[in-house]
Amino acid sequence: MIISHQHKLVILSPWKTASQTIRVRLQDIDQSPYPKSFHFNPHLNRVVHQHLILSDFMCLPEASLGYRIAVFVRNPYDRVFSGFQQVMRDTQMQPRQKFPAEWIHQLVTQQIADNFEDMCMAAYDLNRWFAKLPAHKILDSGRNTNLFLHPCHYWTHRLDLQAVDFIGKVENFEEDFQRLCETFDLTPVSNQSVNQTHIQNLPASQNDYRYAALFHKDNIAKINAIFQRDFDLFDYVTM
């Protein structure tokens, strides 16, 4: 999450929607008092991360300032695949991070272990992993601070009403990032892109979905069902 008092702007950061790239490019305007890594938030009374959903943000004191809110979203197929890749990376990287308290370290370690167990049960296979992943691990936003694979509308809508002022799409990232900067008079410090996944020899897909062709038919149907509102609200086409 980025908070700019100068621009009276908040940029919320759904998981796997180029949030690190946005943060690097706009680091000069970020005045958020909240850590980007795991920490205990006294306004929410729980451990959170930089990927706070809209309902959580509305419980923070900054929500009363009346700032405009911007969010980038991404099609569910690519988010699920990118989330799968991130879970594998987290099992190696996150245990070595520094934490503000030992009990937070223990909580995060246990969550990583839970995610790692799911990955092992699936033999590190994308389709086995998602086929076994229960819907409640995706739809319940308070269950696991290490798995933020919630529908993107958790960051943009309250019930069926859009509650943010700007929505960009990762599929049109450079064009929409430029639109973001023009809309809110922002000057990026670089054009750097970070934390990108590059997969060679991908099968052809449609609708600018990079990874949809990697999923089996049953998992396509499962993604369509779990993320139905994202498809509807953001005009993504189901396969």
Side-chain angles (χ1 to χ4, degrees):
M1 177 175 61
I2 292 173
I3 299 175
S4 172
H5 299 298
Q6 175 186 355
H7 297 88
K8 294 181 169 55
L9 174 67
V10 174
I11 304 176
L12 298 180
S13 303
W15 199 47
K16 312 317 300 177
T17 59
S19 56
Q20 290 195 41
T21 292
I22 294 170
R23 180 156 57 92
V24 166
R25 293 187 182 189
L26 298 177
Q27 58 187 287
D28 280 7
I29 73 166
D30 187 11
Q31 298 168 292
S32 172
Y34 305 106
K36 304 303 181 186
S37 57
F38 297 96
H39 63 281
F40 180 79
N41 187 296
H43 303 288
L44 302 173
N45 286 321
R46 61 184 178 86
V47 173
V48 297
H49 201 272
Q50 62 177 318
H51 302 294
L52 281 180
I53 62 174
L54 178 63
S55 59
D56 286 337
F57 171 73
M58 297 307 295
C59 296
L60 301 182
E62 288 79 9
S64 66
L65 297 176
Y67 290 177
R68 294 171 293 178
I69 301 176
V71 181
F72 271 76
V73 301
R74 189 179 188 184
N75 77 82
Y77 307 116
D78 290 352
R79 279 191 72 228
V80 170
F81 174 80
S82 188
F84 168 77
Q85 296 285 103
Q86 188 65 53
V87 168
M88 288 198 294
R89 287 194 292 267
D90 287 347
T91 61
Q92 300 295 322
M93 298 168 54
Q94 285 186 353
R96 298 195 294 267
Q97 293 182 359
K98 293 183 178 180
F99 295 86
E102 178 56 27
W103 73 269
I104 297 177
H105 187 188
Q106 292 174 358
L107 172 66
V108 172
T109 299
Q110 182 60 59
Q111 292 176 343
I112 292 172
D114 292 344
N115 294 340
F116 182 63
E117 181 179 4
D118 290 342
M119 194 66 69
C120 290
M121 292 291 291
Y124 298 91
D125 179 84
L126 168 67
N127 280 282
R128 291 182 186 176
W129 172 76
F130 190 71
K132 293 178 178 294
L133 189 66
H136 69 79
K137 290 189 177 182
I138 298 172
L139 297 174
D140 184 355
S141 64
R143 182 188 179 280
N144 187 334
T145 52
N146 251 281
L147 188 65
F148 307 92
L149 192 56
H150 319 309
C152 276
H153 71 262
Y154 283 24
W155 283 267
T156 61
H157 285 66
R158 305 185 76 175
L159 298 178
D160 288 323
L161 298 178
Q162 181 175 322
V164 302
D165 303 278
F166 176 98
I167 297 177
K169 290 186 175 183
V170 172
E171 294 77 20
N172 311 312
F173 180 75
E174 293 299 343
E175 177 182 339
D176 283 0
F177 181 77
Q178 179 65 31
R179 182 167 60 90
L180 172 79
C181 294
E182 292 174 354
T183 300
F184 301 108
D185 193 26
L186 309 177
T187 302
V189 297
S190 75
N191 60 357
Q192 182 180 359
S193 296
V194 298
N195 198 29
Q196 292 184 317
T197 299
H198 299 283
I199 307 296
Q200 300 295 325
N201 302 318
L202 283 171
S205 188
Q206 61 181 358
N207 301 316
D208 294 323
Y209 303 154
R210 295 184 63 188
Y211 306 115
L214 298 175
F215 289 97
H216 295 163
K217 182 178 179 180
D218 289 349
N219 279 332
I220 289 290
K222 182 177 179 180
I223 291 172
N224 293 348
I226 292 177
F227 295 92
Q228 178 181 353
R229 290 184 65 198
D230 275 9
F231 285 104
D232 294 340
L233 291 171
F234 306 126
D235 295 324
Y236 288 122
V237 178
T238 57
M239 292 182 59

